[in-house]
Amino acid sequence: MTPAALREMVARFPSLPFVAAPTIVEPMPALRTLLGGGPGLFIKRDDAIPFGFGGNKVRKLALVAAQAVAEGADTLVTAGGIQSNHARATASAAAKLGLRAVLVANGDAPSRFTANALLDRLLGADVVYVATREDRAPMILTVCERLRAENRRPFAIPIGASTPLGALGFALAVAELVDQMPAPHVIVHSTSSGGTQAGLVAGCRLLGLHTRVVGISADDSSASLQRQVRAIISGVADLLDLDLETLSRGTAIEVDDRFVGGGYGIPTDASQEAIELAARTEAIFLDPTYTAKAMAGLIAYVRQQKFKDHQTVVFWHTGGQVALFA
Ligand SMILES: Cc1ncc(COP(=O)(O)O)c(C=O)c1O
């Protein structure tokens, strides 16, 4: 199908104009030279989405928050870490739409509010703290019940807005990319709750591209993320009333978990090098938890000559740079 046909198919879902699309795609010639040549390197600048400090969550929330509005919600409820980019993007959407936001955050209330936690405060979000990551999803339900008992109309958004509807935002983003440049041979990006990757893979499959999509994990194992991405893609097929077969062919679900290091948010030598190289060669700022590890993956692949010189590789910058100020 063509990009126009994909847009038309998704147009039946309401969407909010948060993204200011298209985001810029630019080459990274100095990084390429520093790495000793290799494939053409490009970057898709979703970090530069103006809304709410940008990032990949804005593409998903354009659709998910629109559904909340359509259902008459008055409060968006979601969860993440204290420094969650997704929580900040959700609080931004709520503020812009005149809704309340309740964010469930795992960890202790910070003694100093910095970076995303500071922005959540400025945006007027209420934060409920829970002890562990496992406590987050049940607490979303509890908060929603509490709000309903007060005659409020909560709308729960799962972690990362990685629902089939949210993923559609990234299927559309593939259509946006191929209007800007010939389909790249490879897209490399950070993956965690799987919605970004599900949308990118679904977009490539729907458009019949030969593009590889490589998700570099920020935390979970390749096997569990692949399962998660597959499940979201199957939900996308349901949403679009497509036969799952149609959405199962083409671009593979590739997840590389070798760059996680000691765990979620724990820097590695390679992620720290990636932050410095991207800043010093291209004035691109990466966040320590997600995009630095994804860029570390891209750098390692180029150094190991996993790509051919004639190929084009797009690094999809998914944002999160606010976390540099935590
Ligand atoms: C900056 C950044 N990049 C990448 C990701 C991963 O995206 P997804 O959760 O859609 O896999 C996240 C999600 O938390 C993020 O905040």
Side-chain angles (χ1 to χ4, degrees), residues 262-299:
Y264 177 79
I266 301 172
T268 60
D269 289 347
S271 71
Q272 275 168 328
E273 184 201 23
I275 290 178
E276 285 179 13
L277 290 188
R280 291 173 193 186
T281 55
E282 301 291 346
I284 297 285
F285 299 111
L286 303 173
D287 81 293
T289 304
Y290 299 99
T291 51
K293 288 183 179 173
M295 181 62 91
L298 172 63
I299 290 170

Side-chain angles (χ1 to χ4, degrees), residues 56-57 60 85 162 190-196 287 290-291 318-320:
N56 59 342
K57 303 304 185 251
K60 304 182 194 179
N85 300 306
S162 282
S190 166
T191 187
S192 177
S193 61
T196 301
D287 81 293
Y290 299 99
T291 51
T318 46

Side-chain angles (χ1 to χ4, degrees), residues 3-326:
L6 172 54
R7 277 192 201 98
E8 203 181 305
M9 195 162 68
V10 178
R12 70 177 136 116
F13 300 97
S15 176
L16 295 159
F18 286 164
V19 181
T23 58
I24 292 168
V25 183
E26 53 190 353
M28 296 193 286
L31 179 61
R32 179 174 182 275
T33 303
L34 186 128
L35 295 175
L41 297 181
F42 294 81
I43 184 163
K44 177 78 168 150
R45 299 290 309 273
D46 280 9
D47 58 316
I49 290 174
F51 181 80
F53 272 108
N56 59 342
K57 303 304 185 251
V58 178
R59 288 192 188 271
K60 304 182 194 179
L61 287 167
L63 290 147
V64 174
Q67 189 193 359
V69 171
E71 291 183 9
D74 63 12
T75 308
L76 303 182
V77 183
T78 198
I82 306 256
Q83 284 296 339
S84 165
N85 300 306
H86 162 66
R88 176 253 306 159
T90 302
S92 302
K96 185 74 178 172
L97 296 167
L99 309 177
R100 301 275 301 276
V102 180
L103 311 175
V104 175
N106 58 294
D108 295 329
S111 52
R112 241 180 93 242
F113 285 80
T114 60
N116 283 312
L118 170 66
L119 298 179
D120 294 342
R121 256 194 163 182
L122 290 177
L123 291 160
D126 292 325
V127 183
V128 176
Y129 297 94
V130 292
T132 68
R133 285 166 75 117
E134 291 66 40
D135 296 334
R136 298 184 301 196
M139 184 53 93
I140 291 183
L141 298 179
T142 306
V143 167
C144 287
E145 272 166 30
R146 214 180 280 155
L147 292 173
R148 269 187 223 105
E150 294 166 8
N151 284 327
R152 300 250 302 270
R153 295 183 305 279
F155 184 93
I157 301 178
I159 311 260
S162 282
T163 60
L165 184 63
L168 273 187
F170 267 93
L172 284 175
V174 177
E176 178 183 310
L177 179 71
V178 296
D179 278 348
Q180 293 175 293
M181 67 181 286
H185 294 88
V186 189
I187 293 170
V188 176
H189 71 97
S190 166
T191 187
S192 177
S193 61
T196 301
Q197 186 155 14
L200 290 173
V201 170
C204 290
R205 289 178 179 177
L206 286 165
L207 296 175
L209 307 183
H210 296 290
T211 302
R212 270 177 72 190
V213 173
V214 181
I216 308 286
S217 173
D219 37 21
D220 287 341
S221 70
S222 297
S224 99
L225 262 166
Q226 276 164 331
R227 264 198 307 279
Q228 168 84 352
V229 172
R230 200 171 302 119
I232 301 170
I233 292 176
S234 145
V236 169
D238 289 345
L239 261 189
L240 297 177
D241 290 325
L242 290 173
D243 170 14
L244 183 55
E245 266 296 293
T246 317
L247 257 185
S248 305
R249 282 190 296 264
T251 298
I253 301 170
E254 285 187 58
V255 181
D256 191 334
D257 59 9
R258 287 172 300 175
F259 297 90
V260 176
Y264 177 79
I266 301 172
T268 60
D269 289 347
S271 71
Q272 275 168 328
E273 184 201 23
I275 290 178
E276 285 179 13
L277 290 188
R280 291 173 193 186
T281 55
E282 301 291 346
I284 297 285
F285 299 111
L286 303 173
D287 81 293
T289 304
Y290 299 99
T291 51
K293 288 183 179 173
M295 181 62 91
L298 172 63
I299 290 170
Y301 282 21
V302 172
R303 285 181 174 148
Q304 293 159 15
Q305 301 185 333
K306 293 208 171 170
F307 305 122
K308 305 215 162 50
D309 287 2
H310 75 274
Q311 291 187 313
T312 49
V313 180
V314 170
F315 179 78
W316 205 299
H317 194 322
T318 46
Q321 63 278 26
V322 168
L324 284 170
F325 305 103

